[in-house]
Amino acid sequence: MAEKCPCNSDKSYTTCCEPYILGKKEAPTAEATMRARYTSFVKNTIDYLGKTFNPEEINEFNAQEADQWSKNSKWLGLEIISTKAGMENDTKGSVEFKAHYEAGGVKNTHHEVAQFQKIDDKWFFMDGKIVREQVVRSEPKIGRNDPCFCGSGKKFKKCCLLK
């Protein structure tokens, strides 16, 4: 049975990301490029990352750092959250994704909105913005001058804040 592609598509690796990574053909969309870039980390084919990096800022690409991240992580899956434009007839697009991985025994999620641009019929990763997860409190925030939650009748700052 053919190996499933690490990018979490329904295709096999040989029919999904491998042709792009090996340079047999160009990824047709920004999302396909994103999936192949993730798969490059899984397969430790870092050359593809450099070949699809913003050509104007290629000196910003650290192949050694990418190689170490690739080798020192256990890749757990790619989740595409959304895509905007980036289709075959577009010249720009963005892909919001979550790359799940484990490093040093700790599970992590890299959540990013990646910007892509098509130059000479080839998609390039131009920039990415990390998405910070908003912390949602399960209980209301207690102010310093609010009554303490323990029921002592004292202000929080004179009671449990000191503990």
Side-chain angles (χ1 to χ4, degrees), residues 22-82:
L22 295 179
K24 293 181 179 178
K25 62 183 190 175
E26 296 297 333
T29 64
E31 182 179 329
T33 305
M34 179 64 247
R35 288 179 177 279
R37 286 177 60 82
Y38 171 81
T39 300
S40 287
F41 278 105
V42 176
K43 296 288 190 178
N44 192 244
T45 52
I46 303 307
D47 286 350
Y48 182 75
L49 296 173
K51 290 176 184 173
T52 56
F53 196 83
N54 180 348
E56 294 175 4
E57 296 183 14
I58 192 64
N59 59 333
E60 297 291 322
F61 177 65
N62 187 329
Q64 185 178 4
E65 188 177 282
D67 183 61
Q68 288 304 308
W69 191 25
S70 171
K71 288 178 180 173
N72 295 329
S73 299
K74 178 180 177 185
W75 298 94
L76 305 174
L78 176 67
E79 182 182 350
I80 301 295
I81 306 299
S82 67

Side-chain angles (χ1 to χ4, degrees), residues 111-130:
H111 187 178
E112 180 178 313
V113 177
Q115 301 298 321
F116 291 86
Q117 184 173 343
K118 190 191 268 186
I119 303 169
D120 296 329
D121 291 328
K122 183 175 177 181
W123 285 101
F124 291 92
F125 166 79
M126 301 304 281
D127 192 19
K129 301 280 187 244
I130 302 297

Side-chain angles (χ1 to χ4, degrees), residues 90-150:
D90 294 322
T91 57
K92 292 186 178 184
S94 67
V95 180
E96 181 178 354
F97 69 95
K98 290 182 179 180
H100 304 283
Y101 66 99
E102 185 177 314
V106 178
K107 289 185 179 181
N108 299 288
T109 298
H110 177 85
H111 187 178
E112 180 178 313
V113 177
Q115 301 298 321
F116 291 86
Q117 184 173 343
K118 190 191 268 186
I119 303 169
D120 296 329
D121 291 328
K122 183 175 177 181
W123 285 101
F124 291 92
F125 166 79
M126 301 304 281
D127 192 19
K129 301 280 187 244
I130 302 297
V131 177
R132 304 278 182 219
E133 301 294 327
Q134 184 175 0
V135 177
V136 178
R137 297 177 189 275
S138 58
E139 298 176 9
K141 181 180 178 182
I142 299 175
R144 292 172 31 86
N145 290 318
D146 290 340
C148 191
F149 62 86
C150 74

